[in-house]
Amino acid sequence: MASDSDSEEDFVTYGTPLEPLEEDEPPKKPIPLHEQMVKDEKGRYQRFHGAFTGGFSAGYFNTVGSKEGWAPSTFVSSRQQKAEKHQARPEDFMDEEDFSEHGIAPSEITTSKEFTSSRRDAVKEKARAVNAQAALIPGDTFLEELIAPARLSIGVELLRKMGWKEGQGVGPRVKRKARRQQGDGGQRIYGCALPPGGSEDSEDDDVDEEFAPEDVTFAPKDVVPIDFNPKVGVQGLGYRGLDPGLALLGGGAAEHIDLFRPQSESRSQLFGGAQRGSRRGGVAGQAFGVGALEDDDEDVYHRDSMSRYDKVLGGEEPGDGLFGWTAPQQYKKSKDKSRDASYLGKILEGFTLAQKPAEEKTIFPPPDLPRDYRPIHRFRPGVDISNLPGVSPALAEALRTSRGHMVKEEPEQGGRHKMDSGQRRALLGEDSLQGPSSVMELLRPEDRERLQNLRNTSNLLSNKTPTPISQEALRSAVTLASSLAAKASGSADLQQQQEALAAWKGVQTTSQTFKPFEKNASKQARYEMYLNRLKQGDKDALEQSLDSGLTEWERSREREEFVRASILYRPSSSSLSSRFTRGKHEEDEDSVEVTRDQEGDVDDKQAAVSMKMFGKLTRESFEWHPDKLLCKRFNVPDPYPGSGMVGMPKVKRDKFSVFNFLTVTETKDTAAPPKPPEPGKRSRWDVSQQKGEKKKEDDPLSELLTAARNQTEIKTANSSVPALPAPTNTKSQTPETGAEESADQEKKEGGAEEEEEEEEESRPPMDLFKAIFAGSSDEKSSSSSEGECEDEEKKEEEVQVQPGSINLFNIPSSATSSSVSTSATTSNTTSIQQTVASTLNSTQEQEEFGPKLPPPAAFATGGTNRTNEEAPSKKSKDKKHKSKKQHKHKKEKKKKKLKKHKHKGKQQKKSKKETSDSSSEDSQEDGEGEERQVSTEELLKRLKSIKSQETW
Amino acid sequence: MTLFPNVHCAHRQVNTTETRGDRHINKTVLLTATWYQNVNPLETRLTLNTDFVMAFPQPKPEAPQLPKHLLRTIDCQQGAVRAVRFNADGNYLLSCGSDKSLKLWSVSRGTLLKTYSGHGYEVLDADSSYDNSQICSCSSDKTVILWDVATGQVTRKLRGHAGKVNCVQFNEEATVMLSGSIDGTVRCWDTRSRRFEPIQILDEARDSVSSLKVVQHELLTGSVDGRVRRYDLRMGQLHVDFISSPITCVCFSQDGQCTLTSSLDSTVRLLDKSTGEMLGEYKGHKMKGYKLDCCLSSKDTHVLSCSEDGHVYCWDLVEGSLSLKLPVGKAVVQSLSFHPTETCLLTAMEGRVQVWGAELEDTEDAMTT
């Protein structure tokens, strides 16, 4: 008993101990029933149920915390602190009690979904992955992936460990042989016995019959678990109630009732399947008698005869009989699909069994092939097999026979696809087209002949031995090509005329020819006359059809145009045009809408810029309508208050006619300098001097321009006669520089060429200019201008950045015959090459669009490179500057001329300034003077400048 | 020097009245004024226009000063400085960085005052409004941004250009921003309304608009198609001058009678505004591939141009002679800006902005005090 006190501590106390009775105390008043309230740990009255489980919690004391029964919260949302969008969950409305152990939402620790061994939801998984990508740390899930939970139940896992694979049955592996024996042995298990090891389809068995090695074992067949439909009715077992579907559709005669066969009615009934069989229509069944509608009353009372029962076990059982009657019906390969589905028992949630079978697709059978159809395609033309090298004669023979076979079977008169267009036309009763029927007809007869020759020879070639390459064919091909080439590059007018003649000779087309001069009626008439003469084969059609009233220049112009037009619109093309119909609606396409400022000739301006004659020539002014609001914002009155237009007014302008784009096949190799030379150096003050001259003449400014341009023309006229067919090479050029130069020239002229030719059109003949400018001796100005021109050109080169800058160094050597310069060039080629290289580099860099921005910080390497490259060019620039200096005093003179009327007497100051200027300039040059070496162009330039000074 | 702002104001007034009246007179005045080599044209104009000055003996005209001395170098820390601009009064400068930022600096101290970030690509040009309350900037990201100077916030971000925006300018009252872009258009943006569409699109240029300037009611644009266009709002006229070589920069002279254009043929040309005649041609520098700036000095005495050989060339406006070749560095001088009133020049090369002044010490003191 001494251990009592010790052992007391070990006691488990249960419940609240009664207070020890005090004997003296008066017994306490029992607490009245209504005051016996249970309170929770917070002193609130305890409810035994939560709000969701029937508890009543609203009220004063039992409340959420306030007298009103709810805690009113104030909605606060400010710009800084946006109110959170509160997503109310059901838990928000639950009481604590609901979360307790016995509440409706017991919050207890459970394995979350990820940790359950159930299969993962693939869709959710994907969604999660996507969310994770958008999360703060992209690819967040991989952390979770690290602690990937078991996904398979332990049972499956264990099975796997034991070598089980999905899709296999469970159990020891079986040998094929043994299984067969088992099946044959007739050891059948009836009743609810577990299916043995398993089996395979009979088909498989058949296959395996031949191949059954000893040491190969097979996994048992998987067993699909069977779901039984619970019996829900109150009828007795095996009772088959009235099935209206069957009753009405009919099934009729009583059939053999097989108790044991799985397919027996009773069993299928048991599994809830639809009744199989062929009962008659009408309501019939065990529970009913003969209906009024039923005509045969033979079987009124369900006579059950023993013949309908099996008396012997086994026998004609299909399959391997491995399953008892519990075997899945699927296994039985039942034909009824609905039964299949019913067997599955658990239909996917949300799906019901279809009452009607899915509509079968009607598949149309492929067309019946004709009896004699052979699925072989013969390519035509067939290869001549005997000629093929490396084909055995036997094979060739076989091929030939096979082909011959086919050829024989081919129908003589093919279908409509076999006919050509002519035959079809004949059938349809259409007229034949007017134009030529084949391309051959479009060719001229001699060409056609040649082609024919070519074809013949090639045919001969193929027919005969391949060794002799037909010289004839080659020759004819060459001549054809050369003739074509000659035509393409044919520069002679005469040749063109002859061509036109050949094209038009004997052509009878009348009305369909294209009218290129529709605008000018008389011209068109002349042109048509010319064409008519051509058709008659008149040799000098051109001269006769031209109007004698025109000037020589106009006539020559027209002659050219006519010939070109006649060639362009030769009858072949007109016959082509007969094949196409004209557009019904022919609108006036002769003018296009352009904004005003797109008018005007850039060429003139370019010339003006190169002559530094800014002002009138380069200035264009247009009406421009600012937006009303823009005027308001700029605080200016609207210049065009009435007009609602904004921007530039549009004007109509003549579209380019075809002849603007026709390239005259004139000699292009004239070495005309692209920029017109001018007499003497022009400075910026020259403009007004020219204006002074202007007073003498009518429109001297434009005159001057054209004159300047003409000088170049004269030069070209000297060097080559445009009418001559062959390009003349009368220039005194060293061959290599000449070639180079002309190439450059062509490159440079490229685009501008056409415009120049256009201008030619509108320009009076050269003689006029010669007459006007006879006073300013041509030779002198041209020779003196040569040097200036060079200067100019240099600037031009800077303007149009292009590889043509090589030209710069080549021109002097070719244009001047001074031996000094040429020798100098050779001695100094290296430096020139350098500069050329550098300029080329720079041009390559300047492929970009417009002026670019300097590189941000690539100066460590690129900068030094550049300076290296630029060294020579810089030098030359300095020199140029110096050479300019030499003109300085000349410029000053002009300046004075300009300003004289404004102020006099400032010259002292100015001259002072000049000296200071030049001295500064000198000092600057002195710094660089040491490194300077006299280059060729420098020498040349000096020479030129001296010359020009003399001329002045 | 302290008197200068007032003088400048007077000059402004005179100028405006004249432009409304006979424009021609003013031109001749300029020409006569510039005829004196050493005479400040501004003062001459004053003497001609205001009689009272004649009563006093004329001070001996001093030679125009040139910003020969390097006062300070600011390393902007924002990549290459694409453009550097004085503000309206010349106390602050804006540097446009290739790192998408626009920075505001104090010229006198060289301290960074504010960084404006919000562009999506390098900033190409900026301009400050007359009252220094707003800045507009344009960028390769095709946007034009109007900034609030004090807060550094984007007041408006204007999209509409199809390509990078090369240049931007306020008009005189900062009611309109004009921006020229590589897409060949000039867009006039309203700063007053909340519209995000331009008031007007000037699409006359046939190539990239590389530079534009606004003075009073005139807008001058230079385009890569080799044309200088002057839109006269008051007259409703567009004057196109053909220069032939791609234009890199255009300027009005301070008196508003001449325009200065620099083009890629390494030539700067001074054209008469009204007739388009060439008054001067300035050569010697190198400008062949890059879009570089040119400008006139504050008193129209000199023409300045950036060069690719790392110098700033400074020519006498009348003589056309090179009066100063300022060695800035080894790389390309990208941008320059001349102080609106004083002899002070800003140049930008690579990531640095350099401040050049006439005198070394004095100007610095004057500025700091």
Side-chain angles (χ1 to χ4, degrees), chain A residues 223-243:
Chain A
V223 180
V224 184
I226 302 160
D227 271 291
F228 288 101
N229 280 354
K231 179 170 164 36
V232 282
V234 288
Q235 299 90 349
L237 264 178
Y239 171 79
R240 132 173 90 91
L242 184 72
D243 190 341

Side-chain angles (χ1 to χ4, degrees), chain A residues 619-621 633 859 870 917, chain B residues 190 239 241 286 321 350:
Chain A
R619 164 63 66 98
E620 281 176 304
S621 291
R633 291 275 181 262
F859 307 110
E870 274 162 19
D917 229 4
Chain B
D190 197 351
H239 305 285
D241 284 325
K286 184 180 175 211
S321 58
E350 298 178 354

Side-chain angles (χ1 to χ4, degrees), chain A residues 42 471 758 786 925:
Chain A
K42 285 177 191 164
Q471 307 288 338
E758 253 182 90
E786 198 74 68
E925 274 169 7

Side-chain angles (χ1 to χ4, degrees), chain B residues 216-259:
Chain B
Q216 292 177 350
H217 57 270
E218 284 176 322
L219 165 66
L220 189 70
T221 68
S223 166
V224 179
D225 63 8
R227 286 175 175 81
V228 177
R229 294 180 172 78
R230 184 166 59 87
Y231 299 87
D232 192 331
L233 264 85
R234 186 182 286 277
M235 306 306 290
Q237 291 279 323
L238 164 62
H239 305 285
V240 183
D241 284 325
F242 184 73
I243 306 290
S244 150
S245 176
I247 311 289
T248 58
C249 187
V250 290
C251 287
F252 278 113
S253 62
Q254 304 291 325
D255 65 346
Q257 296 309 305
C258 304
T259 61

Side-chain angles (χ1 to χ4, degrees), chain B residues 3-146:
Chain B
L3 273 171
F4 225 104
N6 302 334
V7 175
H8 184 66
C9 274
H11 149 64
R12 271 261 162 112
Q13 281 167 4
V14 166
N15 201 3
T16 47
T17 49
E18 272 176 2
T19 44
R20 278 172 198 169
D22 191 358
R23 203 167 291 136
H24 212 69
I25 285 176
N26 204 353
K27 195 192 98 196
T28 51
V29 165
L30 171 77
L31 286 175
T32 48
T34 46
W35 196 240
Y36 300 86
Q37 248 328 278
N38 300 332
V39 170
N40 182 356
L42 185 77
E43 283 168 22
T44 334
R45 208 176 298 124
L46 284 174
T47 54
L48 288 172
N49 289 308
T50 52
D51 289 351
F52 69 93
V53 185
M54 294 297 268
F56 301 99
Q58 265 205 319
K60 200 184 175 189
E62 52 182 51
Q65 289 167 317
L66 287 170
K68 290 174 193 167
H69 305 285
L70 177 63
L71 299 184
R72 69 186 55 80
T73 303
I74 304 170
D75 195 0
C76 291
Q77 310 276 353
Q78 52 176 357
V81 178
R82 289 306 183 199
V84 62
R85 300 281 178 256
F86 270 113
N87 75 326
D89 57 10
N91 289 331
Y92 306 100
L93 71 91
L94 291 161
S95 65
C96 307
S98 66
D99 73 338
K100 310 167 190 177
S101 70
L102 173 71
K103 290 186 177 180
L104 177 68
W105 306 81
S106 156
V107 175
S108 53
R109 290 181 181 82
T111 49
L112 175 65
L113 300 176
K114 194 117 196 155
T115 304
Y116 302 90
S117 46
H119 272 300
Y121 211 63
E122 52 184 10
V123 187
L124 295 179
D125 196 8
D127 189 28
S128 78
S129 67
Y130 71 101
D131 57 355
N132 290 335
S133 68
Q134 287 177 315
I135 295 173
C136 61
S137 66
C138 63
S139 156
S140 287
D141 64 358
K142 308 175 188 176
T143 61
V144 174
I145 292 185
L146 180 66

